[in-house]
Amino acid sequence: MKLNEKAIIFDMDGTIVDNIPYHEESWIIFLKHYGIDIKRENFSAQNHGTLDEMIVRFFGNDLSETKIYELGLEKENAYQTLYKSKMKEVTGLTSFLQKLKQNNIRTGLATMGIPSSINFILDGLHIREYFQEITGGVEVSNGKPNPEIFLKTIEKLQVNAKDCVAVEDSMGGIKAGKDAGMKVIGITTTHSLEELMDNGCAEVINDYTNIEIV
């Protein structure tokens, strides 16, 4: 694959780390603790939006902001405990980030994750230095598939959407990237090449090896 854009924006979960199964497992365990029983095969349809949106989706909209925050933090702590010893970057990521830096390609992160989970991954993989701009879910009102988080990151990077590419693993993320005006590259951690292409990805990669910058 060849890359000739001025900037690249990465999603985080499922894109720079293959961690979606751990998020799903922690959600299922967390919800079960509160008497909410959901099967893994039914969870993916609910797995979109900000953390607050997901808490409201499962617990109802009569919670206080404080309670929503507390529940969200409890879920993320459960995920971090589960994933900490398993953390591993998608193959070739750090080398690719180094190559982007060497070629003066601006790099952003646009994730629905909360600050503690963003820090957990970036510091755990020692890759924070490679991202000029980081946008988390707490900075937007609407989660993916709404394009708000990508539009905000494009603005921070001071580039035009047409000069920027997004890397995404989820259908909601692909739609958000496209609706923000970017070309989207899909990565096959969560969905197949065929599914990613059918949902509008311009190209699909399995990992970050063999990407040529032109």
Side-chain angles (χ1 to χ4, degrees), residues 58-105:
F58 288 115
F59 289 87
N61 58 10
D62 57 345
L63 298 174
S64 68
E65 288 186 10
T66 300
K67 188 61 177 177
I68 291 170
Y69 173 80
E70 288 174 352
L71 287 168
L73 197 59
E74 183 181 342
K75 182 270 156 187
E76 286 302 285
N77 286 339
Y79 148 70
Q80 290 179 27
T81 299
L82 197 64
Y83 188 56
K84 186 174 183 179
S85 64
K86 310 289 195 310
M87 191 188 301
K88 181 184 178 184
E89 69 175 38
V90 172
T91 302
L93 174 69
T94 296
S95 295
F96 180 52
L97 290 172
Q98 290 170 343
K99 194 186 300 184
L100 293 171
K101 186 175 182 179
Q102 290 163 3
N103 285 272
N104 297 313
I105 295 175

Side-chain angles (χ1 to χ4, degrees), residues 16 38 64 69 71 76 88-89 106-107 112 151 158 161 163 175-176 202 208-209:
I16 65 176
I38 185 168
S64 68
Y69 173 80
L71 287 168
E76 286 302 285
K88 181 184 178 184
E89 69 175 38
R106 294 184 63 73
T107 307
M112 301 319 303
L151 292 170
Q158 298 182 325
D163 296 322
K175 185 178 188 306
Y208 295 101
T209 58

Side-chain angles (χ1 to χ4, degrees), residues 25-158:
E25 186 176 352
S26 64
W27 266 113
I28 290 165
I29 293 169
F30 164 71
L31 291 171
K32 191 171 184 178
H33 176 74
Y34 285 94
I36 302 170
D37 196 9
I38 185 168
K39 298 289 187 292
R40 185 180 293 275
E41 58 268 25
N42 299 327
F43 178 75
S44 60
Q46 309 296 328
N47 189 19
H48 58 87
T50 67
L51 181 59
D52 286 358
E53 286 172 335
M54 289 191 68
I55 291 295
V56 169
R57 190 173 300 137
F58 288 115
F59 289 87
N61 58 10
D62 57 345
L63 298 174
S64 68
E65 288 186 10
T66 300
K67 188 61 177 177
I68 291 170
Y69 173 80
E70 288 174 352
L71 287 168
L73 197 59
E74 183 181 342
K75 182 270 156 187
E76 286 302 285
N77 286 339
Y79 148 70
Q80 290 179 27
T81 299
L82 197 64
Y83 188 56
K84 186 174 183 179
S85 64
K86 310 289 195 310
M87 191 188 301
K88 181 184 178 184
E89 69 175 38
V90 172
T91 302
L93 174 69
T94 296
S95 295
F96 180 52
L97 290 172
Q98 290 170 343
K99 194 186 300 184
L100 293 171
K101 186 175 182 179
Q102 290 163 3
N103 285 272
N104 297 313
I105 295 175
R106 294 184 63 73
T107 307
L109 187 73
T111 171
M112 301 319 303
I114 62 174
S116 66
S117 291
I118 296 171
N119 295 339
F120 173 64
I121 294 297
L122 295 186
D123 296 336
L125 296 178
H126 308 290
I127 57 173
R128 182 183 294 276
E129 66 179 288
Y130 297 109
F131 293 93
Q132 280 82 51
E133 298 294 344
I134 297 166
T135 311
V138 297
E139 295 181 58
V140 297
S141 300
N142 304 290
K144 301 172 187 176
N146 188 289
E148 182 181 357
I149 195 163
F150 280 126
L151 292 170
K152 185 176 286 287
T153 309
I154 290 167
E155 183 180 358
K156 286 181 179 181
L157 288 169
Q158 298 182 325

